[in-house]
Amino acid sequence: DQQVKQNSPSLSVQEGRISILNCDYTNSMFDYFLWYKKYPAEGPTFLISISSIKDKNEDGRFTVFLNKSAKHLSLHIVPSQPGDSAVYFCAASGDNYGQNFVFGPGTRLSVLP
Amino acid sequence: EADIYQTPRYLVIGTGKKITLECSQTMGHDKMYWYQQDPGMELHLIHYSYGVNSTEKGDLSSESTVSRIRTEHFPLTLESARPSHTSQYLCASSDPGAHEQYFGPGTRLTVT
């Protein structure tokens, strides 16, 4: 049973508009969340993180929102650029996992020029 | 800049062969990981290590084994490859105090 879900396998957005990638989790013990970006033939690279004590974290064009009651987080990219086209993975961790992470299946974002 | 290397990048091998996937990092990270990922699916943790002489099994059962004799080196071995082992294998490392993991480029393994 998937503990971290990304229900949209793909998303297409026009350049300059907002991209919103969603992630849901089932385990209430998760207390730290990360987003990774992956280009073809490369390993994932860390993008942004959020702890459960916060509900928002911002880094440049990237903002992650956390709704603990809904067990939902989202990644906003504003404005979207063609170079943002990649697969985005959500990952969650908690003390009960020894600080290891559980990954979602990813969402493929295509930013159209 | 994170430096974590994996070799080979691509490997096609016949059933029954023994293979070792190499992973090295130059960041001095104590914790290292191996993940398996099928196309369009999540990364599954198959092995991890807290440091030299430490190895642990991850969430996904795997027929592979790992060793950690040196901090920078975390090889993964399949004693007898099978078609079901066809997948991408990703190595990662992290500092004990940090959540962020640095990933290598991966090894895409095909067993015929």
Side-chain angles (χ1 to χ4, degrees):
Chain A
D1 186 31
Q2 276 188 349
Q3 297 193 66
V4 178
K5 302 177 186 182
Q6 293 177 258
N7 292 322
S8 298
S10 63
L11 174 68
S12 291
V13 170
Q14 209 67 36
E15 181 179 4
R17 306 293 289 267
I18 184 172
S19 296
I20 300 176
L21 297 102
N22 294 305
C23 177
D24 297 288
Y25 60 97
T26 58
N27 191 332
S28 59
M29 298 298 288
F30 288 145
D31 59 6
Y32 205 89
F33 306 88
L34 285 78
W35 284 93
Y36 282 88
K37 178 169 73 173
K38 185 179 184 302
Y39 293 119
E42 294 183 13
T45 54
F46 169 73
L47 195 56
I48 193 169
S49 64
I50 189 166
S51 162
S52 60
I53 61 172
K54 294 185 172 182
D55 55 17
K56 177 182 173 182
N57 189 26
E58 196 169 350
D59 183 2
R61 296 186 297 113
F62 303 91
T63 303
V64 56
F65 296 92
L66 175 63
N67 183 333
K68 289 185 289 294
S69 60
K71 297 193 186 69
H72 175 84
L73 61 156
S74 61
L75 174 69
H76 293 212
I77 307 173
V78 181
S80 301
Q81 299 173 354
D84 296 328
S85 297
V87 178
Y88 289 79
F89 292 96
C90 169
S93 175
D95 282 342
N96 57 323
Y97 278 87
Q99 297 307 319
N100 291 328
F101 280 88
V102 180
F103 283 79
T107 296
R108 181 177 301 278
L109 173 66
S110 299
V111 179
L112 309 173
Chain B
E1 185 72 25
D3 292 317
I4 180 162
Y5 308 98
Q6 290 186 245
T7 57
R9 293 291 310 275
Y10 303 92
L11 180 62
V12 180
I13 201 162
T15 297
K17 299 290 186 183
K18 177 180 178 180
I19 57 171
T20 296
L21 308 184
E22 301 288 348
C23 175
S24 294
Q25 50 97 3
T26 59
M27 297 169 283
H29 287 165
D30 285 326
K31 201 165 180 187
M32 295 189 74
Y33 315 78
W34 275 103
Y35 291 89
Q36 185 175 342
Q37 185 195 17
D38 293 326
M41 303 295 287
E42 58 267 42
L43 281 70
H44 287 289
L45 182 66
I46 52 175
H47 298 283
Y48 61 101
S49 166
Y50 288 107
V52 172
N53 294 326
S54 154
T55 60
E56 305 284 345
K57 289 190 180 294
D59 301 329
L60 183 68
S61 173
S62 173
E63 294 164 345
S64 57
T65 58
V66 292
S67 62
R68 190 86 183 275
I69 299 172
R70 303 197 314 268
T71 298
E72 62 272 21
H73 194 213
F74 191 40
L76 181 144
T77 298
L78 277 166
E79 291 292 333
S80 180
R82 296 210 302 266
S84 61
H85 296 138
T86 294
S87 189
Q88 183 176 42
Y89 293 83
L90 289 158
C91 180
S93 71
S94 68
D95 259 334
H99 289 91
E100 175 186 348
Q101 296 177 18
Y102 293 91
F103 282 84
T107 294
R108 185 164 296 281
L109 173 66
T110 301
V111 183
T112 59

